[in-house]
Amino acid sequence: MALNSNDIELGTPCPPFRLPSVDGRLVDWKNFSDQSALLVAFICNHCPYVQAIEDSLIALKRDGLQIIGICSNDANRYPDDAPEALLKRWREKNYGFPYLLDSDQAVAKAFQAVCTPDLFLYDQDRRLFYHGRIEELSTVIDQVLAGFPPPTMQRHSIGCSIKWT
C-alpha cells in the first residue's frame, strides 16, 4: 500500500543515530560533521518505489553531501530486506554511501519515517532543510550547499510503508 511521508517541520534537528552498516562497520551520524549537508534515505530492496529511484539516489553524490541509506524493514517477514540481501544489492549497485541496518526500528521512529523511500536532507547545522520527493532533490541539494534558505514547498515522498515488526 502506498503512503505519503509525514509533515515534519523544517528546522527540526536530525535525530542522532549509530547503526551497523551492511558491510559490518558501525556508523555514527557525527562521523560526517565535516560535510555541508546530510541526506538520510530510508530505503529497502523489495519496494518498487525505491527500485524506481535507486539510480537517481546514487547519482546525487557530490562534494559536500553525505548520503546515508537506512533499511528499517522487518527482515524476518521481508527476506529481500535481510542484511545479506542488502549487502549484495549495495555491492551490485555500487552505492558509494553507507547502508545501515535499523533492525529495532528505533531510528525510523525517531525520524518519523513511514515509507520507502523517505528522504530527509539536513543542512550544515543538521537542521531539516528538505523532506520530500527525489525529483526536487538535485536542485535542493545545490541550494543547501550554496547556503540558500530551505524551499517553502515540500512535496511528500510516496512509497511503500515501512514494514514494522
Side-chain angles (χ1 to χ4, degrees):
M1 177 169 104
L3 289 179
N4 285 333
S5 58
N6 285 327
D7 285 327
I8 300 175
E9 186 174 343
L10 295 182
T12 300
C14 180
F17 59 89
R18 185 175 182 190
L19 294 170
S21 68
V22 295
D23 64 347
R25 296 177 295 138
L26 196 57
V27 176
D28 191 303
W29 74 296
K30 293 179 191 173
N31 293 0
F32 309 106
S33 60
D34 61 328
Q35 298 297 309
S36 299
L38 175 68
L39 174 61
V40 178
F42 287 86
I43 57 176
C44 66
N45 279 2
H46 88 275
C47 172
Y49 292 92
V50 173
Q51 293 166 8
I53 63 104
E54 190 174 36
D55 291 334
S56 297
L57 179 64
I58 294 166
L60 290 173
K61 292 185 269 188
R62 45 175 65 68
D63 289 341
L65 172 69
Q66 178 62 54
I67 302 171
I68 296 175
I70 299 177
C71 182
S72 299
N73 281 350
D74 179 358
N76 292 322
R77 291 188 314 146
Y78 294 85
D80 285 348
D81 297 334
E84 315 77 46
L86 297 175
L87 175 62
K88 181 180 179 199
R89 181 82 174 182
W90 178 74
R91 285 181 173 154
E92 285 172 355
K93 296 297 277 185
N94 191 25
Y95 273 25
F97 55 82
Y99 196 2
L100 310 182
L101 306 167
D102 180 25
S103 58
D104 69 1
Q105 302 178 322
V107 174
K109 290 174 185 170
F111 273 80
Q112 300 178 54
V114 295
C115 60
T116 57
D118 209 345
L119 309 167
F120 299 79
L121 179 64
Y122 294 90
D123 63 16
Q124 176 69 50
D125 298 324
R126 297 308 182 249
R127 299 279 178 185
L128 187 62
F129 190 86
Y130 180 78
H131 177 228
R133 295 184 187 177
I134 197 163
E135 292 84 359
E136 288 80 30
L137 259 178
S138 185
T139 300
V140 174
I141 289 167
D142 291 340
Q143 291 171 343
V144 72
L145 293 175
F148 291 121
T152 54
M153 186 164 147
Q154 308 273 320
R155 294 180 55 210
H156 289 276
S157 292
I158 298 172
C160 297
S161 64
I162 288 179
K163 306 310 180 200
W164 303 104
T165 54

